[in-house]
Amino acid sequence: AGTAGLDATKARELAGRLELRAKSQDEIDARAAYLDLLGVEAGERVLDVGCGTGVVTRDIAGRVGPTGRAIGIDQSPQFVAIAGELAQAAGLGGRVEFREGSALHLPFPGGTFDVAVAVTVLSHTPG
């Protein structure tokens, strides 16, 4: 099924649920621990594959600071648009970018990123 074909209304409904879940302290702590283990640092370029609404991408943007870049890629054009809106609202517009694309065919040359993450996308990727 996937999220690529969601219409705007369904995408916004799902995004609302995802964003609400992301605000729980357990989720916040889990993301922080995950990014701590990866050692994401200021100035790095980080790719978030299957970024959805950009929850993790926004956390990454906070860590890479003004000299770094967090780029999220997702198959859903609706989620890419929503992720961009949420990043702008959070004041992260200059540190973050969202693109539509496939986890199976990334539109970036090798060596573009210091770190790549795929937090929940693997359960949505065909084998």
Side-chain angles (χ1 to χ4, degrees):
T3 58
L6 287 177
D7 67 34
T9 300
K10 288 183 180 175
R12 291 221 177 254
E13 288 172 2
L14 180 54
R17 290 193 304 272
L18 293 171
E19 289 294 317
L20 183 62
R21 181 180 71 186
K23 291 177 183 173
S24 80
Q25 193 61 51
D26 287 347
E27 291 284 326
I28 292 167
D29 293 345
R31 287 192 311 273
Y34 179 77
L35 295 175
D36 285 347
L37 287 170
L38 290 172
V40 174
E41 298 179 359
E44 290 187 317
R45 292 181 53 84
V46 182
L47 176 65
D48 181 9
V49 178
C51 65
T53 61
V55 172
V56 174
T57 318
R58 294 191 308 270
D59 282 356
I60 291 167
R63 288 174 178 249
V64 299
T67 61
R69 192 84 169 152
I71 299 178
I73 186 170
D74 199 274
Q75 67 176 353
S76 167
Q78 300 292 342
F79 275 1
V80 168
I82 292 166
E85 293 168 11
L86 292 169
Q88 286 294 331
L92 298 169
R95 300 180 191 184
V96 68
E97 175 185 341
F98 294 96
R99 294 189 191 181
E100 183 182 348
S102 169
L104 301 175
H105 305 286
L106 296 174
F108 308 101
T112 300
F113 300 99
D114 300 296
V115 178
V117 300
V119 177
T120 60
V121 72
L122 296 179
S123 63
H124 302 287
T125 304

